[in-house]
Every structure is written in C-alpha cells, then in structure tokens.
C-alpha cells in the first residue's frame, strides 16, 4: 500500500463514520409513533422506554433519555417495589389537521400518576399527582383508569413522560395512545361488557343466597359466596369500587379480599360438590384441601384487619396462584375416580384456563394481545359460575329424586308393617280369644243341659276363670298396640312396663346414662323396636337370659338386646314370620335415620340400634 494513500483512506473512513453517526442521531431523533389520518390506536410496541428512579426525587427536567431502556413488553410490570418509574415515548402528527388524542395507562390503583408533554425540551403540558383516589370529576379525562388528553397540531412532534408509583401493591403499566373518538367508543363498549358480566354474577350470587335461605343447603351458600367474591374482584380490578364504593370497600386490598373470599368458597364448594359423592379419595388430597381452607381463612382475616403492604401483595399473588393449581389437580383426580361433577367442573374452567394461557403468552411477547382477549376475561369466570350453577341444580334434582325414592320405599315398608301388625292382631284374636269364646259357649251349653245346681255353679266358676284369661289376653294385645299412659311414662317407663307384663324371670331390663324425654316419633318407634326384639327373643331364641338395655349417650340413644339363645336358627320353620319382624325393625330404623347391627353366634345374639336424638325422617334409608 502507498503511504501517501493512507491519509486519504483514513479521511474516507472518518467521513463514513460521520455519516453513520449523523444517520443514527437522526433516526434516534425521529419520533417513534406517527399519527396519520387513519390513526385509531397504538400500544407503543417498540416505542416505549422505561427508567426507574431509585431516589424517588428526580423531576422531569432531571431525566436523561440515554438512561432509559427500551421496554420489551407493551405492559411493563414493576411488581411491588414501591419505587418511582418513568415511561417515555415520542410521537408526531403527520396529518394535515390537528389530532385530539388520549394517552391511557390501563391501571386503576396507583398512588402517583403524572403526565408531561415536552417540545424542544420545554414542558407544554403537565398533569401532576393523580392517584386512584382522585375523583372522576376532577380528572381531565373522566376514566376509571388513568387517561390524559394530548393535542397535536399538524407536523408537531413531542415527547411524553409518565411518572408512576404504587407504594403498596403491584404496578403494571399498559400504555396506549388513542384517537379521542375511538377511545370514547371503546371505553363505552368495555364498560357495558363488564357491567353486564358483573351484574349477572351479582344476580346469580343473590339467587344462590335465597336458595340457601329456603333450602338450608350450605352448597348454595358456598356457590353464592364464590359468585359474589368473583364479582367483587372484578369490580375492584376494573375500578368501580375504587370510584363508586365507600371506604373501606374502595381500597386496593379489596381485590385481594374478593379473590381470596372467592377461592375459599370455591374450596368449600368443591368439598361438598365434588368430594362428597366419591367414596374414596387419597388422604393427602383431603389433608391438603383442609390445610388450604385453613390457610385462606387465616389469610382473609389478616387482609381485613391489617393495612395492605407490598409483602401482603406478594403473598396474595402466591396464594391465589397456588389454589387454582390445586383445584385443577383435585378435579383431575376426582374425574379419574368416576366423578361426573368433576368432569363438568373441568368443562366450566376451560375458558378461564384458556384466557390465563393467552395472558401468559402475551406477557412473554409470544403473541399480541387482542381486544377480544380483554372482553373474554370478563366472561370466562361468568361461564364457570353459570355452568357450576347448572351442575348444582342437577345435583339437587338428583338428590331430591333419590330422597323421593327413599321415601317411597319407607312408605311401602310402613304399609307392610301395618299389614303385619293387623295380621298379628288377627292371629292373636283368632288363636287366643277365639278359643276362649268357644270354650265359654261349650260351658254354657253344658250348663243349660244340666239340672244340677252344683254343676251350674261349677260351670259359672269355670266361665269366670276363662273370662279372666280373656281379659288378660285383651290387655296384652292392647299393650302391644299402645302401652297405657305412654305419653306420660315415656320410653323408659313403657319398656319397664312391657318387661313386667311378660312375668318372665329370663327377661331383665336396665338403663345407663341420664334418661331424657325424646321426640314422640323417636320414643314410639324405639318402643316398637324393643317390643319386636323382645317378641323375637321370646318366640324363637330359646334363651335362658335376655338382657334389654337403654343407653343414653351424649348425642344418641342406644338400644341393646342380648340373649344366650340360638338366634335365627330357631326360626327355620318360621322364616316368614321372623322375616316380617326384621322388616318391621328395618322400616322403623330407617324412619329414625338410625343405625343397627345384629351379631349372631353360638353364644347368642346381640342387637344394637343407635338412634340420634335429632329426629330427621328418612334422610338415609339404609344404614345397617
């Protein structure tokens, strides 16, 4: 290379670097956002730069644009650091007419939101110290979010700065620029769409409360709270409570209270709606479920009584991210175990899971957020609530049909019992009183044929003895039907009288605990059960000892009849009569919603009947 050419080469290279520098400077100075005649809106993708002021003291004049970094997302998320964050973008009106614009920060809760517009390094517009507590009528753009007016003359270029801070919560700053007319139309559509979904949620929740009041079914209470909690979260997140509700419902922590209340009710709803019909679930699943219920209850209490801080916001995000994962996992396990309710629930949350997935992709800049995503997030929870409501109604209808079927079975058993009692009375009258009357007629005929006074006197004495026996039989039959003074004596006195009437040393009666008077239905049916068991032991057991006990516990009465006989084996030739007796007992046990168990061995038979003190007829017809 010629040494004389070296200066020329260096000059050329320097000129190229100068041209590149000037071109770079001009490209940097060129406004990023171009506002033309067809402009409607822009989310500032690739135009928004951010800077964090860790001192919280810099003014707009102290800012150095070289310290700003280009935002990688349309929705910068500063989490819960509590610091001051600056956001900036440049724009130019390339239209031949002036443009009325609106700059919107799509967030409700912020403690500081200021807006500055600079031209040639000088402030030409400033709106300072807006916060979520600034009334709508005091804002230049009466929006639930933070919105600022911006007017650009033809060819005018400006740089806008936004100062944002949230001391006690998460700061997310989705910034967009709108044509003023387009902004007003979109705001009206969003408000209408949101209010429709929120109104339906509140209506559904109130209906659920009314159903709970009338039916006393806690499942509907949990359903109602779930719906109202979801509505409360939505109303808080969209700014309605912040601007229209009185303190403390307009505070930032209302969204955390609403979502925590909704998830707590959701867990309780899941326990009754999903788990209850399933016979067996993993113990770890149930333990985790109860632990999360306790955790949410404690957390909800802490949210209500304490000020909302950054730490509480982080904890709330963690808890409310953990619960959906567990609910989804529990639904999958329940579905694998054949739960139709779990399958329906999974269908109900598909839209919600879908919108969460879309938002994650949008936050990662893998896809671009669309307007329909925004509207869809209103209706995904509403879809879940409506589908769960349909499922709850269907479950209630199925339970009602089951109860009606059970009541029909009980009614049939009652009819059979009544027929059996009639047959027994007829048999007693025919076998006992019929023979007595026939004997009396025979004695009367003999007395009429006799002329001897002595024989007449003996006949009369015989008739007296027979009528005495007949009277005893009548009393015995009447006692079996209804013990005399039953209402006055109660169960204990009536059973004691029954045992005394047997006049049989093999039968013994005792009570344990503090005897108490029970509902008439309980006492009468308990007496019938004891009477039937005693009758079976007397007729079929061939026992030497029969022990009848009434045990009064804290929450139930236990009837126990023990004998040392040979049990049902003695009734091989009387299977029909014994079977009817057991059906009578089963019918009365079902009617009292009781439990019963009979154990028969070579040593004898023991029958236990546990009767709850609270009388609820026919709730569980087969508890043997």
């Amino acid at each position: 290379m010629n040494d004389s050419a070296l200066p020329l080469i260096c000059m050329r290279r320097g000129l190229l670097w100068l041209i590149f520098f000037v071109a770079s400077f001009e490209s940097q100075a060129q406004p990023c956002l171009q506002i033309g005649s067809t402009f409607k809106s822009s989310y500032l993708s690739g135009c928004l730069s951010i800077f964090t002021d860790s001192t919280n003291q810099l003014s707009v004049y102290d800012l150095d644009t070289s310290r700003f970094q280009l935002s990688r997302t349309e929705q910068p998320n500063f989490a819960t650091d509590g610091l001051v964050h600056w956001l900036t973008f440049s724009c130019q009106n390339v239209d031949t007419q002036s443009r009325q614009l609106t700059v919107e920060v799509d967030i409700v809760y912020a403690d500081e939101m200021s807006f500055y517009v600079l031209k040639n390094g000088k402030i030409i517009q400033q709106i300072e110290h807006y916060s979520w507590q600034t009334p709508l009528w005091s804002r230049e753009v009466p929006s639930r979010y933070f919105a600022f007016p911006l007017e650009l003359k033809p060819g005018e270029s400006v740089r806008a700065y936004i100062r944002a801070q949230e001391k006690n919560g998460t700061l997310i700053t989705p910034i967009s620029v709108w044509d003023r007319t387009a902004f007003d139309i979109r705001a009206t559509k969003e408000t209408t769409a949101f209010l429709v979904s929120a109104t339906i949620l509140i209506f559904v929740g109130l209906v659920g409360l009314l159903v709970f009041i009338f039916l006393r079914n806690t499942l509907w209470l949990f359903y109602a709270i779930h719906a109202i909690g979801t509505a409360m979260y939505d109303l808080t997140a969209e700014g309605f409570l912040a601007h229209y509700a009185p303190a403390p419902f307009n505070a930032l922590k209302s969204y955390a209270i609403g979502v925590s209340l909704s998830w707590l009710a959701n867990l309780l709803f899941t326990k009754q709606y999903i788990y209850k019909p399933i016979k067996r679930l993993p113990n770890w699943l149930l333990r985790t479920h109860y632990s999360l219920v306790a955790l949410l209850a404690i957390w909800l209490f802490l949210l209500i009584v304490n000020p909302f801080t950054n730490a509480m916001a982080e904890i709330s995000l963690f808890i409310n991210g953990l619960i959906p994962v567990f609910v989804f996992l529990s639904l999958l396990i329940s579905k694998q175990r054949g739960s139709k309710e779990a399958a329906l629930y999974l269908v109900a949350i598909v839209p919600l899971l879908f919108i969460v997935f879309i938002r994650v992709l949008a936050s990662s800049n893998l896809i671009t957020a669309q307007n329909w995503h925004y509207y869809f997030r209103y209706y995904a929870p509403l879809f879940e609530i409506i589908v769960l409501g349909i499922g709850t109604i269907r479950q209630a209808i199925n339970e009602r049909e089951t109860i009606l079927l059970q009541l029909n079975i009980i009614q049939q058993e009652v009819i059979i019992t009544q027929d059996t009692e009639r047959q027994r009375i007829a048999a007693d009258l025919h076998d006992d009183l019929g023979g007595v009357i026939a004997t009396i007629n025979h004695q009367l005929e003999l007395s009429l044929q006799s002329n001897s006074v002595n024989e007449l006197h003996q006949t009369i004495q015989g008739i007296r003895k027979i009528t005495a026996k007949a009277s005893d039989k009548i009393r015995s039959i009447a006692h079996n039907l209804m013990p005399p003074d039953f209402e006055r004596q109660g169960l204990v006195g009536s059973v004691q009288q029954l045992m005394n009437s047997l006049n049989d040393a093999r039968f013994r009666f005792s009570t344990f605990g503090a005897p108490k008077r029970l509902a008439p239905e309980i006492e009468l049916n308990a007496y019938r059960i004891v009477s039937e068991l005693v009758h079976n032991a007397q007729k079929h057991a061939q026992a030497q000892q029969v022990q009848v006990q009434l045990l009064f516990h804290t929450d139930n009465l236990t009837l126990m009849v023990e004998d040392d006989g040979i049990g049902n084996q003695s009734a091989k030739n009387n299977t029909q009569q014994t079977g009817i007796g057991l059906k009578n007992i089963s019918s009365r046990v079902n009617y009292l919603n009781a439990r019963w168990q009979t154990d028969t061995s070579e040593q004898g038979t023991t029958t236990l009947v546990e009767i709850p003190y609270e009388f609820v007829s026919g709730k569980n017809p087969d508890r043997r």
Side-chain angles (χ1 to χ4, degrees):
M1 179 180 295
N2 192 344
D3 292 339
S4 61
L6 183 61
L8 182 60
I9 294 175
C10 293
M11 184 180 299
R12 288 177 178 176
R13 288 180 178 178
L15 182 61
L16 290 174
W17 278 107
L18 179 61
I19 294 172
F20 176 79
F21 175 79
V22 172
S24 300
F25 178 83
E26 288 180 352
S27 63
Q28 291 178 357
Q30 181 72 19
C32 181
L33 181 62
Q34 303 291 314
I35 310 296
S37 59
T38 60
F39 176 81
K40 296 297 182 182
S41 66
S42 173
Y43 285 91
L44 299 176
S45 178
C47 294
L48 187 66
S49 298
I50 57 178
F51 167 71
T52 299
D53 176 14
S54 57
T55 66
N56 292 355
Q57 296 179 353
L58 296 179
S59 68
V60 66
Y61 289 111
D62 300 324
L63 299 177
D64 183 357
T65 55
S66 64
R67 300 177 64 183
F68 281 74
Q69 295 182 350
L70 188 66
S71 175
R72 298 180 179 179
T73 174
E74 296 176 354
Q75 302 181 13
N77 187 343
F78 302 105
T80 57
D81 57 13
L83 300 176
V84 170
H85 299 277
W86 289 88
L87 304 99
T88 185
F89 65 93
S90 61
C91 61
Q92 180 182 21
N93 180 13
V94 296
D95 194 4
T96 56
Q97 298 180 353
S98 296
R99 298 302 303 270
Q100 303 292 328
L101 306 173
T102 298
V103 179
E104 181 187 48
V105 184
D106 191 0
I107 185 175
V108 175
Y109 290 95
D111 294 322
E112 165 72 21
M113 194 68 67
S114 298
F115 180 69
Y116 305 90
V117 179
L118 277 71
K119 181 180 180 181
N120 298 326
K122 295 182 179 180
I123 295 178
I124 61 174
Q125 180 183 352
Q126 65 180 22
I127 300 174
E128 295 185 307
H129 308 308
Y130 273 8
S131 75
W132 64 272
Q133 294 176 308
T134 304
L136 294 182
W137 54 86
S138 299
R139 302 185 179 194
E140 294 198 24
V141 179
S143 170
R144 301 190 311 275
Y145 315 114
F146 291 96
F148 307 98
L150 175 62
E151 182 179 358
L152 292 180
K153 298 177 181 179
E156 188 175 19
S157 298
V158 297
R159 175 167 289 277
Y161 289 91
I162 295 174
R163 184 180 189 272
Q165 182 182 25
E166 172 52 48
K167 299 177 182 177
N168 297 313
T170 302
L171 181 63
I172 303 176
T173 54
I175 299 179
S176 56
V177 179
W178 290 80
D179 173 78
R180 182 74 55 83
T181 302
F183 173 81
D184 293 339
I185 295 173
R186 188 210 60 156
T188 301
K189 289 182 178 180
E190 285 185 357
T191 300
T192 303
F194 172 74
L195 283 179
V196 168
S197 64
T199 302
I200 296 175
L201 280 173
I202 294 174
F203 174 77
V204 169
L206 293 177
V207 169
L209 286 177
L210 289 176
V211 174
F212 163 71
I213 291 173
F214 285 106
L215 299 183
R216 297 296 180 182
N217 186 344
T218 53
L219 182 66
W220 285 102
L221 175 62
F222 302 146
Y223 173 79
I225 295 176
H226 181 35
I228 293 175
T230 303
M232 181 178 178
Y233 168 76
D234 289 346
L235 288 168
T236 305
E238 294 301 320
F240 280 91
L241 293 185
H243 297 297
Y244 301 110
F249 302 104
N250 62 347
L252 171 61
K253 65 179 181 180
S254 293
Y255 92 88
I257 293 175
V259 72
S260 299
L261 185 65
S262 177
W263 281 121
L264 178 60
N266 182 281
L267 288 176
L268 296 173
F269 176 87
T270 302
K271 171 64 172 60
Q272 191 166 341
Y273 178 69
I274 303 295
Y275 298 166
K276 188 176 179 180
I278 302 176
K279 292 182 178 180
R280 291 185 180 180
L281 280 171
N283 290 330
W284 68 265
L285 182 67
L286 293 176
R287 287 195 296 267
T288 305
H289 183 94
Y290 294 135
S291 299
L292 289 177
V293 169
L295 174 65
L296 268 177
I298 296 172
W299 175 243
L300 189 60
F301 174 77
L302 294 176
L303 280 174
I304 294 173
V305 301
N306 292 306
F308 198 63
T309 63
N310 288 338
M312 297 185 75
E314 294 285 357
I315 295 173
S316 182
L317 289 174
F318 173 76
I319 292 177
N320 295 310
L322 177 65
I323 301 298
V325 174
F326 171 77
V327 170
F328 182 70
L329 178 63
S330 67
L331 290 177
L332 290 179
I333 295 175
S334 300
K335 183 180 181 298
Q336 289 179 349
R337 294 178 181 263
S339 173
K340 296 181 180 179
E341 290 80 4
L344 181 65
Y345 204 149
L346 286 172
V347 172
I349 64 173
V350 164
L352 187 61
L353 295 176
F354 174 74
I355 199 63
V356 170
F357 179 69
I358 290 295
R359 295 188 69 179
V360 169
L361 293 180
S363 299
S364 304
N365 290 328
L366 297 178
I367 64 172
T368 302
Q370 304 292 328
N371 286 337
W372 70 268
H373 298 161
Y374 186 81
Y375 295 125
F376 193 66
R377 73 178 185 178
Y378 293 148
Y379 290 92
L382 178 61
F383 178 80
E384 175 198 354
I385 295 295
I386 291 176
V387 172
L388 289 182
I390 295 172
T392 305
I393 293 172
R394 189 184 70 174
Q395 188 181 76
I397 292 174
N398 292 338
E399 290 179 352
R400 183 176 181 274
E401 291 176 349
T402 302
I403 291 174
L404 290 176
L405 179 61
Q406 295 168 358
L407 290 176
N408 185 41
I409 294 174
I410 292 174
Q411 289 174 354
Q412 292 177 1
E413 291 179 347
V414 169
I415 293 173
I416 294 174
T417 301
Q418 291 174 345
D419 291 340
T420 304
E421 293 291 342
R422 292 188 182 101
Q423 292 173 8
R424 180 176 298 174
I425 294 170
D428 290 341
L429 291 174
H430 180 270
D431 296 340
D432 295 331
L433 293 183
V436 170
I437 293 172
T439 302
I440 292 175
N441 287 333
H442 179 68
Q443 292 291 335
L444 288 174
E445 288 178 0
L446 291 177
S447 64
L448 291 174
Q449 295 174 3
S450 175
N451 296 322
S452 171
V453 176
N454 231 3
E455 291 179 359
L456 182 60
H457 179 71
Q458 290 177 358
T459 301
I460 292 174
Q461 292 296 328
I463 292 175
R464 285 181 176 177
K465 292 179 181 180
I466 295 172
T467 54
K469 291 181 180 179
S471 178
D472 291 340
K473 291 294 182 181
I474 292 173
R475 280 196 298 269
S476 177
I477 294 173
H479 191 280
N480 289 333
L481 291 175
M482 176 62 73
D485 297 331
F486 181 83
E487 292 185 359
R488 180 179 60 82
Q489 294 187 75
L491 177 62
V492 176
S494 297
V495 173
Q496 182 68 65
Q497 188 177 16
L498 171 65
M499 302 302 290
N500 293 338
S501 68
L502 296 177
N503 195 23
D504 191 333
R506 296 179 303 163
F507 289 82
R508 297 180 181 179
F509 172 63
S510 59
T511 63
F512 293 89
K516 60 176 65 177
R517 293 302 303 267
L518 307 177
E521 296 91 342
I522 296 178
E523 291 195 338
L524 182 58
N525 281 279
Y527 175 81
R528 298 290 192 201
I529 293 171
V530 172
S531 177
E532 189 67 52
L533 291 172
V534 169
H535 174 79
N536 287 343
Q538 187 180 31
K539 295 288 185 181
H540 309 298
Q542 300 179 13
Q544 299 300 316
Q545 296 290 332
V546 179
Q547 180 70 36
V548 179
Q549 301 180 57
L550 299 182
L551 295 86
F552 290 88
H553 301 293
T554 304
D555 54 358
N556 68 74
L557 166 66
T558 300
L559 313 179
M560 184 166 64
V561 178
E562 299 176 285
D563 66 67
D564 57 359
I566 59 175
N568 291 334
Q569 296 178 4
S570 64
K572 290 181 179 179
N573 298 324
N574 300 287
T575 54
Q576 183 177 2
Q577 184 177 357
T578 304
I580 291 174
L582 293 177
K583 286 183 179 179
N584 292 341
I585 296 173
S586 176
S587 176
R588 298 188 188 281
V589 167
N590 294 340
Y591 180 73
L592 295 175
N593 195 31
R595 299 177 185 271
W596 75 300
Q597 181 178 0
T598 299
D599 294 324
T600 301
S601 66
E602 295 180 356
Q603 287 73 34
T605 301
T606 300
T607 301
L608 291 174
V609 181
E610 296 180 358
I611 304 174
Y613 289 145
E614 183 179 356
F615 176 67
V616 182
S617 173
K619 280 287 187 179
N620 193 353
D622 189 9
R623 306 187 67 184
R624 184 174 179 179

